[in-house]
Amino acid sequence: GAVVSQHPSRVICKSGTSVKIECRSLDFQATTMFWYRQFPKQSLMLMATSNEGSKATYEQGVEKDKFLINHASLTLSTLTVTSAHPEDSSFYICSARDLQGAGNQPQHFGDGTRLSIL
Amino acid sequence: AQSVTQPDIHITVSEGASLELRCNYSYGATPYLFWYVQSPGQGLQLLLKYFSGDTLVQGIKGFEAEFKRSQSSFNLRKPSVHWSDAAEYFCAVAESTGGFKTIFGAGTRLFVKA
């Protein structure tokens, strides 16, 4: 089945550091990828929709200058948390849609990245 | 805009008992509906999905869900729960047009007692 690889799985860094998270579709092409954030014991909140070759669409309340998204190819999207602070600590999950699939193909999710800012 | 409501924050059932997790959605067009399961610290696993056709859908691990348009519901069921089913369950709805944006419910934590 379709696989989405997310890297790193866990990162711990100091406050003020910028952190990049990669999301790769391993065996399919994805024009659209999604980035979610999940706080402990809470649901997934959609942060932004990443479209290959164009600017990401951010959900209301998400700072686009804080969470930089790049989708330079059909198999890779990156999320960079700039100047991270402890309140940015969270579980970040990406997902991707299969370009070749039918319009009703579900998203394929990565295993998530646990970000901890000290 | 679409929304998903899971009215039960947590549910406890005995091993071997039946299970039903509730999900209500709000969406103007025909929705795409999903149930996912998440174990602590892990990613999401798709249990089942509904796009069209038969309103009773079968999924993995013995789960099923029934789409009821009149009630805007998509409840998840399992006839006999196993201890390994203890996890967080999320209902989700995706728009059937545009970018397939998906919104998740708040989740229901399932506890299984021996």
Side-chain angles (χ1 to χ4, degrees):
Chain A
V3 176
V4 173
S5 174
Q6 195 170 333
H7 179 80
S9 59
R10 184 176 181 92
V11 58
I12 302 172
C13 57
K14 293 181 180 180
S15 184
T17 306
S18 291
V19 179
K20 179 184 285 188
I21 302 170
E22 294 186 347
C23 180
R24 294 181 184 272
S25 55
L26 297 185
D27 54 359
F28 66 98
Q29 292 182 321
T31 53
T32 304
M33 291 185 174
F34 303 89
W35 287 95
Y36 294 86
R37 182 175 183 176
Q38 185 180 31
F39 289 107
K41 301 185 186 300
Q42 295 190 25
S43 186
L44 282 75
M45 300 301 296
L46 180 64
M47 299 175 65
T49 302
S50 167
N51 296 296
E52 186 267 337
S54 64
K55 292 183 178 180
T57 303
Y58 290 81
E59 295 299 302
Q60 189 173 7
V62 178
E63 300 176 60
K64 60 181 180 181
D65 295 330
K66 175 75 171 178
F67 300 99
L68 301 179
I69 292 173
N70 182 279
H71 192 161
S73 77
L74 288 172
T75 60
L76 174 65
S77 176
T78 60
L79 167 68
T80 301
V81 183
T82 61
S83 187
H85 292 283
E87 58 266 28
D88 298 321
S89 299
S90 189
F91 193 52
Y92 293 87
I93 304 176
C94 73
S95 69
R97 286 191 66 204
D98 189 339
L99 173 65
Q100 298 300 324
N104 56 8
Q105 283 291 325
Q107 302 175 53
H108 304 284
F109 284 86
D111 287 335
T113 296
R114 175 75 59 192
L115 174 62
S116 300
I117 307 299
L118 305 178
Chain B
Q2 70 264 42
S3 66
V4 181
T5 302
Q6 292 180 249
D8 303 306
I9 296 174
H10 56 80
I11 284 181
T12 301
V13 298
S14 298
E15 191 170 17
S18 63
L19 169 70
E20 182 169 30
L21 301 182
R22 296 184 291 165
C23 173
N24 292 95
Y25 68 90
S26 173
Y27 184 56
T30 300
Y32 293 152
L33 296 162
F34 308 87
W35 275 99
Y36 291 90
V37 62
Q38 184 182 38
S39 296
Q42 303 295 314
L44 298 176
Q45 182 179 26
L46 178 67
L47 289 176
L48 47 77
K49 61 185 184 288
Y50 171 79
F51 292 146
S52 64
D54 193 347
T55 56
L56 183 63
V57 293
Q58 302 298 320
I60 61 171
K61 303 184 178 184
F63 286 94
E64 67 176 26
E66 185 171 11
F67 171 60
K68 293 185 177 181
R69 184 185 298 275
S70 61
Q71 299 177 20
S72 297
S73 69
F74 188 58
N75 295 348
L76 181 72
R77 300 194 294 252
K78 186 170 184 177
S80 177
V81 170
H82 188 262
W83 65 267
S84 61
D85 293 323
E88 187 87 20
Y89 291 81
F90 294 99
C91 180
V93 59
E95 58 186 25
S96 53
T97 58
F100 206 75
K101 179 174 161 179
T102 300
I103 300 300
F104 286 80
T108 298
R109 169 72 66 178
L110 173 64
F111 297 96
V112 180
K113 59 183 181 181

